[in-house]
């Protein structure tokens, strides 16, 4: 077991190393420069060249990669011309954002909390709703509850998240004015009490959470339904019924335990998938998360 874990860790480290090379190569092969976006007629060419020298952009590509990783810092003072020695990924530094003029880690930290809050609440609600609906649909297979839940799931899976967000914004924020049109908190948030601030967060989270939950609900509910139907046909459940156990005991004490197990492996994938879906949603509704920052 120890050898297996060690092999997997070494494989993971090698995979990350190759990913850094690929990411860096793609960026270097892309046309243009990050300094080109800041070209101003009032800025001299000498100033731009100085910026390139400070950030090491005038060096060969392999040196830029080593600086990005932070190898010079590990190997000691290799600089002889007074140039800056870069702290890189190996030192826990993600560099400095030229747009925000502060460390990248600080920029991400300000936005990451809002995205994590949105995704965790969505993940909790999705599982809290999808698992019972999947069980209910499986127990009532081919009857009206199964057809209604399946129809709702297909609509949720087919409807684009950005379109649903715009539709809900138009109805509940524009026409009815029940919900705020985006953001995470109101302008007077700091003047509210603790309870008022909590309710303000909840008020702003309703719309994005509903949109993400509807999109993730359908697929998880269909998988739960399929797993439950497969387990309900197994022989040991027929034996449990023959022994006189009630139908609720057969479903919730025996069948549910085995039907949920395959879903647990999906938890990590679904959480990662929510980040991708939340990015576009955050841009549409102006939510201050990682979506707009990534763009």
């Amino acid at each position: 077991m120890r050898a297996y874990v060690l092999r997997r860790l070494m494989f993971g480290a090698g995979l990350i190393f190759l990913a850094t090379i690929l990411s860096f190569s793609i960026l270097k092969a892309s046309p243009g420069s990050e300094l080109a976006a800041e070209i101003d007629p009032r800025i001299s060419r000498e100033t731009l060249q100085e910026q390139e020298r400070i950030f090491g952009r005038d060096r060969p590509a392999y040196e830029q990669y080593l600086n990005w990783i932070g190898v010079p810092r590990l190997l000691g003072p290799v600089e002889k011309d007074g140039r800056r020695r870069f702290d890189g990924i190996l030192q826990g530094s993600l560099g400095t954002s030229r747009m925000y003029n502060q460390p990248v880690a600080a920029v991400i930290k300000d936005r990451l909390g809002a995205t994590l809050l949105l995704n965790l609440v969505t993940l909790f609600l999705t599982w809290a709703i999808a698992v019972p609906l999947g069980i209910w649909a499986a127990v009532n297979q081919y009857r009206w509850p199964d057809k209604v839940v399946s129809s709702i799931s297909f609509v949720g899976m087919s409807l684009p998240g950005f379109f649903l967000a715009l539709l809900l914004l138009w109805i509940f924020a524009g026409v009815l004015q029940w919900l705020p049109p985006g953001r995470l908190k109101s302008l007077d948030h700091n003047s509210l009490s603790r309870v008022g601030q909590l309710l303000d967060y909840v008020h702003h989270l309703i719309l994005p959470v509903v949109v993400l939950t509807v999109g993730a609900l359908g697929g998880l509910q269909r998988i739960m339904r399929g797993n439950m139907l497969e387990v309900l046909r197994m022989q040991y459940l027929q034996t449990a019924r023959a022994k006189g156990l009630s139908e609720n005991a057969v479903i919730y004490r025996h069948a549910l335990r085995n039907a949920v197990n395959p879903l647990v492996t999906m938890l990590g994938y679904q959480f990662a998938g929510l980040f991708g879906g939340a990015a576009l949603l955050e841009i549409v509704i102006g939510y201050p998360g990682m979506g707009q920052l990534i763009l």
Side-chain angles (χ1 to χ4, degrees), residues 9 22 79 107 141 261 290:
L9 290 176
L22 181 62
E79 303 289 347
V107 177
Q141 185 183 18
N261 284 339
M290 290 292 293

Side-chain angles (χ1 to χ4, degrees), residues 109-263:
K109 182 180 178 181
D110 293 339
R111 303 292 191 96
L112 187 60
T115 296
L116 282 177
L117 175 63
L118 175 60
N119 288 341
L120 289 175
V121 172
T122 301
L123 198 64
F124 173 77
L125 286 180
T126 301
W127 280 69
I129 298 173
V131 172
L133 282 181
I135 297 172
W136 190 42
V139 172
N140 296 278
Q141 185 183 18
Y142 301 138
R143 288 182 280 186
W144 71 265
D146 184 24
K147 295 179 180 179
V148 171
V149 172
S150 297
S151 300
I152 295 175
S153 298
F154 286 134
V155 171
M157 294 169 63
S158 305
L159 197 62
F162 70 91
F163 176 77
L164 180 60
L166 292 173
L167 183 63
L168 295 181
L169 276 175
W170 174 61
I171 296 175
F172 293 101
V175 179
L176 300 177
Q177 297 185 356
W178 290 353
L179 297 175
R183 312 304 301 172
L184 180 59
K185 56 186 179 180
S186 304
L187 295 177
D188 60 344
H189 178 84
N190 294 330
S191 63
L192 301 175
S193 63
R194 291 292 181 86
V195 177
Q197 290 180 352
L198 179 61
L199 293 177
D200 187 43
Y201 282 130
V202 172
H203 195 210
H204 283 76
L205 281 172
I206 290 176
L207 193 146
V209 167
V210 168
V211 173
L212 290 178
T213 301
V214 169
L217 185 64
L220 188 62
Q221 181 270 325
R222 296 294 297 174
I223 295 174
M224 183 65 208
R225 176 185 178 274
N227 290 346
M228 198 69 182
L229 287 174
E230 184 178 350
V231 173
L232 287 175
R233 298 189 185 101
M234 290 187 175
Q235 189 65 38
Y236 76 96
L237 292 183
Q238 302 299 330
T239 304
R241 291 189 180 95
K243 289 182 177 181
L245 291 180
S246 65
E247 191 64 20
N248 286 337
V250 170
I251 293 173
Y252 296 104
R253 285 175 53 187
H254 297 281
L256 179 59
R257 185 177 304 174
N258 292 326
V260 168
N261 284 339
L263 293 182

Side-chain angles (χ1 to χ4, degrees), residues 69-81:
I69 296 297
V71 172
R73 283 289 186 182
L74 293 179
L75 300 179
V78 298
E79 303 289 347
K80 296 181 180 179
D81 55 358

